[in-house]
Amino acid sequence: LRKVITYIVENPDAIDDAETRQNINDLLDTVFGWGAQCVLDILDRNRGGFCSFSIRNLFASHSFGQYVIEIMNSGEIEIDESVETLLVLVERDGPTRNSLAANYVNLFYGQNSETIHSKSTDCMWFISQD
């Protein structure tokens, strides 16, 4: 399903039927949010970030990330090892999402464990029990 939606986001004109295209656009323009705790954190705790976004933007961001990973895996670019990386993981995202972020850092630094150790750090955002 993810590949289909990503394809539609990248190739919106591929849908010939106007009604189907409108239904898909309505779905992609649906706004999704992290909820009241996210808003509270931003307003009351001075945390940066955003709490809601459209499904279209979610898949466009994913598509861009996949594009970057493909370029990095191709060996066509030189890695700038001077860049320092902060990897922020979220407890509720679980191992699948968090491992995608960790995989990106590994790819960015060319799987070089010494560089990863010296140029990246991580933290875990724990979510309080409601």
Side-chain angles (χ1 to χ4, degrees):
L1 181 61
R2 182 185 301 172
K3 287 183 179 185
V4 170
I5 295 175
T6 300
Y7 175 79
I8 291 169
V9 168
E10 293 174 352
N11 303 290
D13 295 332
I15 308 297
D16 293 332
D17 182 69
E19 184 178 350
T20 301
R21 185 180 313 138
Q22 185 58 50
N23 289 336
I24 291 171
N25 280 330
D26 289 346
L27 172 70
L28 293 175
D29 291 336
T30 300
V31 174
F32 177 82
W34 295 122
Q37 184 63 49
C38 180
V39 175
L40 177 69
D41 287 345
I42 287 176
L43 297 177
D44 292 350
R45 298 183 179 144
N46 201 26
R47 182 182 71 83
F50 55 90
C51 293
S52 58
F53 48 87
S54 72
I55 300 299
R56 180 185 310 277
N57 288 346
L58 171 70
F59 279 97
S61 297
H62 180 269
S63 175
F64 176 73
Q66 290 299 110
Y67 172 75
V68 170
I69 287 172
E70 286 175 20
I71 287 176
M72 295 175 82
N73 278 335
S74 72
E76 295 177 16
I77 63 166
E78 186 174 326
I79 303 299
D80 181 357
E81 294 181 356
S82 69
V83 174
E84 294 184 12
T85 305
L86 171 61
L87 182 60
V88 180
L89 309 173
V90 179
E91 180 183 27
R92 284 191 185 158
D93 285 350
T96 302
R97 287 261 184 239
N98 288 334
S99 67
L100 289 172
N103 182 49
Y104 173 76
V105 170
N106 282 320
L107 289 171
F108 183 80
Y109 291 115
Q111 308 287 347
N112 183 323
S113 60
E114 289 181 20
T115 303
I116 292 168
H117 180 73
S118 67
K119 294 294 184 179
S120 69
T121 190
D122 60 77
C123 66
M124 175 67 79
W125 179 321
F126 292 107
I127 305 298
S128 65
Q129 300 250 337
D130 295 328

